[in-house]
Amino acid sequence: MDPKMLTEGIVAGRREAGQLADAFEDLHPPLSEHEALVAADRCYFCHDAPCTVACPTDIDIPLFIRQIATGTPEAAARTILSQNILGGMCARVCPTETLCEEVCVRETAEGKPVLIGQLQRFATDTLMAADEHPFERAPSTGKRIAVVGAGPAGLACAHRLAMKGHDVVVYDARPKAGGLNEYGIAAYKTVDGFAQAEVNWLMKIGGITLQNGKALGADLRLDDLKAEHDAVFLGVGLGGVNALGVPGDDKDGVRDAVDFIAELRQVPDLTALPVGRDVVVIGGGMTAVDAAVQAKLLGALNVTMVYRRGKDRLSASEFEQDLAASRGVRIITNAQPVAVHGNGAVREVEFTFTDDDLKPTGQNFRLPADQLFRAIGQTLVADGLPDLDGRKIAVTGAGRTSVSGVWAGGDCAAGGDDLTVTAVAEGRDAAEDIHARLMG
């Protein structure tokens, strides 16, 4: 064991560059052509395919797999991308084990589904490597549309609108486009700068202008956007993070998991990124797993994920839970934080065990921690929004809001799952509705 892994506190360089390169290598290495053909041959090409029904973007999965099996992966990519323009990223990050692959007939019969996600990646990567864009822009309509947020929903909406011949301006608060694809997903799921490569490829449709560093509320007002454009789509995501709400949660060493993940994704040298020796992550979703696993890969000695409900209520998939365990992350369930202890900086986190109704049992315990990550959900942060449904923008139909001429989709909109693939579907469908409204 590297002695640096035993060093107390939050320090950089717990592992050498070579070790980090190995640790953060591609989670699912791409299939070779032969491997793809073998995997495709396992598909039954079902007529009423349950995998297609389970796909939030309604990709014709048997068709694209048949196209791979017949040696035409570029055609397969077009089938995928016609429904999901971010099919390359979704192939990498979608929880296919709980979507299309879970209902695969092979999974039901044999416990081993067709490798739908990896086959999707094979097809889309093949097309992107050829530097092709499979769609052409229609003649200009003269309409100008604002898309606020360059995440999956915003990019999918912008691309579909541009393809229809509209001029689209995409505003985003961050320096790079991509949203969670660029800033919020574990580095080992999207290696070699794929998020930006996919954005650049998507932009080849033409008709889309990106303006970074423009946030709704701070730099943009919805009324102004409406006045200057024929329609507005809001795909602003969720910029805030829920607080722990316990004594001591403002101590040094306590931070939001999404900020840690974003910093890790942007740092040019992983050896320069500091991480604690004893790391605690509070939460039970994909963000919690991404933060916990990456802390361990950076060289943290002990990493513990703590969730207030039972194991069956964890929102992270079984695959993600197993991944965390295989990397040395300990998962504790039915426990919630009651206090963060330490003199200025976190040193311990105190928890109480809970029953299935989240009632404390009276049994408390403490975990040593010099770094604590919050991963307990995100919140919508913006001013001057349309009406809300709970804590998200209320929508009807294909993303229509309470304000005429304004649509919304992705994580900021009520309903749906907080998944990349769902956001893409909502952005795409909103674009179709905007086009119909403008041209009708």
Side-chain angles (χ1 to χ4, degrees):
M1 180 182 295
D2 192 322
K4 288 185 178 179
M5 294 182 69
L6 301 176
T7 304
E8 293 185 10
I10 303 173
V11 300
R14 290 189 180 275
R15 304 185 77 181
E16 301 297 330
Q19 294 174 310
L20 290 172
D22 291 340
F24 282 89
E25 64 184 5
D26 205 333
L27 181 61
H28 297 295
L31 299 176
S32 68
E33 182 177 358
H34 175 71
E35 289 171 330
L37 290 172
V38 171
D41 194 51
R42 293 189 66 244
C43 181
Y44 285 133
F45 310 117
C46 306
H47 174 64
D48 297 319
C51 55
T52 295
V53 175
C55 175
T57 52
D58 303 312
I59 294 171
D60 190 335
I61 294 171
L63 174 59
F64 93 69
I65 294 179
R66 184 180 292 275
Q67 289 167 322
I68 291 174
T70 55
T72 55
E74 295 86 355
R78 293 185 183 94
T79 298
I80 296 162
L81 297 165
S82 64
Q83 292 295 103
N84 181 348
I85 196 60
L86 298 181
M89 181 60 77
C90 288
R92 289 162 166 80
V93 305
C94 263
T96 54
E97 65 277 1
T98 60
L99 293 171
C100 52
E101 292 178 10
E102 183 178 56
V103 298
C104 175
V105 175
R106 286 281 194 180
E107 168 67 18
T108 304
E110 306 168 10
K112 185 179 180 182
V114 174
L115 300 176
I116 297 171
Q118 288 178 268
L119 286 169
Q120 179 168 313
R121 174 176 174 176
F122 173 77
T124 53
D125 282 6
T126 299
L127 185 70
M128 289 180 66
D131 202 27
E132 292 184 22
H133 195 87
F135 306 108
E136 294 183 1
R137 180 165 154 78
S140 176
T141 63
K143 302 294 185 181
R144 191 166 183 262
I145 298 152
V147 171
V148 186
L155 289 173
C157 183
H159 183 274
R160 184 58 62 100
L161 289 169
M163 193 169 69
K164 299 284 189 182
H166 306 299
D167 293 320
V168 185
V169 183
V170 180
Y171 302 94
D172 195 82
R174 293 186 184 262
K176 294 181 182 178
L180 288 180
N181 287 356
E182 173 62 38
Y183 292 96
I185 293 171
Y188 52 79
K189 295 179 180 177
T190 169
V191 301
D192 300 326
F194 180 79
Q196 286 308 297
E198 188 175 48
V199 170
N200 295 336
W201 174 86
L202 178 148
M203 294 287 287
K204 290 182 179 181
I205 188 65
I208 304 174
T209 302
L210 273 173
Q211 292 194 21
N212 296 99
K214 299 289 183 68
L216 189 65
D219 311 288
L220 306 168
R221 294 180 64 250
L222 188 56
D223 288 344
D224 294 337
L225 291 171
K226 280 192 60 186
E228 297 166 5
H229 301 82
D230 295 290
V232 178
F233 176 80
L234 301 177
V236 295
L238 301 174
V241 177
N242 292 322
L244 291 179
V246 300
D249 65 354
D250 58 347
K251 294 185 181 298
D252 293 342
V254 181
R255 65 182 305 196
D256 298 330
V258 291
D259 292 340
F260 169 66
I261 294 169
E263 184 181 5
L264 190 153
R265 283 291 302 273
Q266 301 306 310
V267 69
D269 179 8
L270 287 176
T271 63
L273 185 63
V275 69
R277 184 187 71 175
D278 300 301
V279 177
V280 174
V281 182
I282 298 178
M286 305 290 263
T287 299
V289 170
D290 283 358
V293 170
Q294 292 188 115
K296 189 68 177 176
L297 296 180
L298 284 172
L301 183 64
N302 302 301
V303 180
T304 307
M305 217 175 93
V306 186
Y307 181 57
R308 61 180 180 153
R309 301 183 186 274
K311 187 178 185 300
D312 60 323
R313 300 289 296 277
L314 282 163
S315 56
S317 67
E318 287 283 348
F319 173 82
E320 292 288 333
Q321 295 176 47
D322 291 344
L323 174 67
S326 72
R327 298 301 191 269
V329 175
R330 180 170 58 149
I331 301 177
I332 298 175
T333 56
N334 285 111
Q336 63 185 23
V338 294
V340 179
H341 300 285
N343 184 16
V346 58
R347 286 294 175 263
E348 289 183 319
V349 187
E350 184 176 357
F351 295 88
T352 185
F353 283 112
T354 59
D355 61 20
D356 290 339
D357 296 322
L358 296 182
K359 295 178 181 178
T361 64
Q363 296 175 293
N364 286 18
F365 66 96
R366 295 190 182 195
L367 292 175
D370 41 35
Q371 195 167 37
L372 171 64
F373 293 123
R374 295 174 290 233
I376 52 175
Q378 294 178 258
T379 58
L380 180 61
V381 179
D383 297 322
L385 294 172
D387 291 347
L388 302 183
D389 178 1
R391 296 191 294 175
K392 295 187 176 185
I393 299 172
V395 293
T396 57
R400 298 181 187 182
T401 73
S402 62
V403 179
S404 177
V406 178
W407 284 255
D411 291 354
C412 70
D417 303 313
D418 292 342
L419 297 173
T420 298
V421 65
T422 304
V424 170
E426 291 176 357
R428 176 201 67 194
D429 294 347
E432 292 287 355
D433 198 56
I434 291 169
H435 175 71
R437 176 71 68 88
L438 294 179
M439 305 309 292

